[in-house]
Amino acid sequence: GAAPNCRLMPIRMGRYLSDNALEDWFEYVQENGAGVVSCSWGAAAAVFRLSHRAKKAITKCALEGRNNKGTVICFTAGNSDRDIDAPDGSSHDGFSNHPHVIAVSAINSRDKKSDYSNFGKNISVCAPSSGAGGMGITTSDVTGTFPYNGRQIYAGYDAGDFTDEFSGTSSACPLVAGI
């Protein structure tokens, strides 16, 4: 892909976005020398404001990571076709609006906003992904199957080593992080 010689540091997330969890995640990547953090996740709520503790954890990682050189933090803008900071207050994504975050939205292969991609004045960059009228993103895939409810389910998107179906701002964000 965009960064073939990079090293990966997968972080296992819990089910909830608590202040303690956010502090632990960003402290871990900071202490372990991550140069770039790619977050293809966010809050499910249309209005999600970061607490002071969460803002501080992201800021600390962004400014003090890599021995005070700073860590690049990329967040997906989301896939709900809404403004990440709507003037009427109907939607707000605290992660995408954080001043030390690169907020990534998506465009399709026809250079048009992906129909699902969130948008807004605080979007930092728009990167290729899928979307209505465009092609999907080809990427490597997890192989194998596992049993689920009496049948075999693919471990990845498709049966093979690659998929043409990687989509959403979750495909745009790691591309930006790799670049």
Side-chain angles (χ1 to χ4, degrees):
N5 294 318
C6 75
R7 290 179 291 148
L8 298 176
M9 181 190 312
I11 308 297
R12 181 176 299 261
M13 296 177 56
R15 300 181 80 178
Y16 304 102
L17 293 175
S18 70
D19 286 339
N20 286 341
L22 289 167
E23 288 168 333
D24 289 347
W25 298 331
F26 285 102
E27 183 177 343
Y28 181 86
V29 297
Q30 179 185 343
E31 288 179 354
N32 287 280
V36 179
V37 176
S38 179
C39 300
S40 287
W41 52 270
V47 177
F48 185 81
R49 301 196 184 280
L50 294 179
S51 70
H52 175 72
R53 287 173 57 193
K55 287 179 191 175
K56 185 177 173 184
I58 293 169
T59 297
K60 186 173 191 275
C61 182
L63 299 180
E64 298 176 15
R66 294 186 315 130
N67 295 318
N68 291 314
K69 293 181 214 164
T71 299
V72 175
I73 300 173
C74 300
F75 260 95
T76 64
N79 302 320
S80 303
D81 190 26
R82 64 179 171 227
D83 194 323
I84 62 169
D85 194 20
D88 67 0
S90 62
S91 59
H92 178 83
D93 181 335
F95 296 112
S96 294
N97 282 287
H98 190 286
H100 296 294
V101 161
I102 295 174
V104 182
S105 64
I107 57 173
N108 67 21
S109 60
R110 294 178 179 228
D111 202 24
K112 303 285 184 199
K113 175 190 156 303
S114 294
D115 55 312
Y116 53 78
S117 183
N118 287 356
F119 54 89
K121 65 181 167 90
N122 290 331
I123 296 294
S124 305
V125 66
C126 195
S129 185
S130 64
M135 298 171 58
I137 298 295
T138 300
T139 189
S140 56
D141 197 11
V142 177
T143 58
T145 60
F146 62 92
Y148 181 76
N149 286 339
R151 50 185 244 241
Q152 292 292 312
I153 303 293
Y154 296 132
Y157 290 96
D158 295 321
D161 294 336
F162 299 91
T163 182
D164 294 324
E165 301 299 321
F166 192 36
S167 63
T169 55
S170 289
S171 74
C173 187
L175 176 60
V176 169
I179 292 169

